[in-house]
Amino acid sequence: LAPTSSSSRASVMTTTTDDAFVSKTTQELLNAREAMEIEMQAIASRLTAPNAPGLRGALTDADGFPIAGCDLYAVRADRGRYDVLRNDYKRIMTELESRVIRGMQGDGEVMKGVGAPTPTPTPTEDAAPTENDVGRAFMVIDEIMDGCPGEVDGLRVGDRVCAVGNVTWGFEDPSASPPAEVLRNATQTFADNENSVVRVVVLRRGERVAVEVTPRAWSGRGLVGCHMRSV
């Protein structure tokens, strides 16, 4: 692995205090979240490349020697940076969700600077559906376990899920939040299709990407190994 440059390790928002997020405008939070998703995907790609140790894998071989060709300092730096980004990403999502709730309760200033009362508005999602579109994003992947089926099959942190099999969410009300039953149905689709391919459509950096995921037993929890939350 190539050494990680100091600029790539520079934090988008390195503070671990929630007050730092509260003081930001909603648009600043949205911009920071997008930057975090891009950086987390880049780190995950480096750490899961061929012969790389992964996000959580051991850095030594069976005899206790460092893995040949592995830059331990770069890997540790990437892993540390990834953990910081993941924690800040969760805090940003929590703050955005809080603002949406307060906005729906009548606090107009809470969502100032955002065109619609949703924490993750993008032109691609709100555009009229085409034959290649399957609905609006209703879940976001905010954590992927190292070596899990979801990671192996191509899912990435920051992917915003638009479809899981036949489970989708429509365009009827742009201001609406996805109902809980959509999330439950998506989760159940994975459970009902163990060892079978499930077509998952995600929004990744503004483009729709279809990923074929096979839910299956592995060494960790669940059949996919990804944590997903409502957008």
Side-chain angles (χ1 to χ4, degrees), residues 13-197:
M13 191 176 292
T14 57
T15 180
T16 57
T17 61
D18 292 335
D19 289 344
F21 298 111
V22 173
S23 65
K24 299 291 183 180
T25 66
T26 300
Q27 191 58 54
E28 287 175 332
L29 291 179
L30 292 170
N31 292 340
R33 186 190 64 182
E34 181 180 3
M36 287 179 183
E37 291 173 352
I38 293 172
E39 187 175 356
M40 291 172 76
Q41 289 177 5
I43 292 174
S45 295
R46 287 197 296 271
L47 294 178
T48 57
N51 300 320
L55 291 169
R56 295 288 183 273
L59 300 181
T60 57
D61 59 24
D63 297 322
F65 293 101
I67 298 176
C70 178
D71 187 333
L72 299 184
Y73 294 103
V75 170
R76 286 169 178 160
D78 269 345
R79 287 179 172 181
R81 177 64 182 149
Y82 188 91
D83 287 340
V84 170
L85 288 168
R86 182 177 58 184
N87 290 334
D88 283 353
Y89 187 89
K90 290 179 179 179
R91 290 185 173 92
I92 282 183
M93 292 299 295
T94 298
E95 175 60 24
L96 287 171
E97 289 174 0
S98 175
R99 294 188 187 195
V100 171
I101 293 173
R102 283 180 280 158
M104 290 180 176
Q105 292 174 342
D107 187 350
E109 292 300 313
V110 172
M111 298 302 293
K112 185 177 181 180
V114 178
T118 171
T120 54
T122 66
T124 303
E125 287 186 17
D126 290 338
T130 68
E131 61 180 5
N132 295 321
D133 285 325
V134 291
R136 296 167 58 195
F138 56 88
M139 296 192 300
V140 62
I141 300 175
D142 60 7
E143 185 174 3
I144 296 181
M145 303 302 293
D146 182 41
C148 70
E151 179 188 60
V152 172
D153 292 346
L155 295 178
R156 295 291 179 262
V157 170
D159 281 352
R160 296 162 70 187
V161 181
C162 303
V164 176
N166 294 323
V167 178
T168 62
W169 182 46
F171 291 81
E172 290 79 6
D173 184 356
S175 67
S177 297
E181 65 183 40
V182 176
L183 278 66
R184 288 196 299 268
N185 291 342
T187 301
Q188 190 61 44
T189 297
F190 286 128
D192 291 344
N193 287 275
E194 184 173 359
N195 298 319
S196 298
V197 174

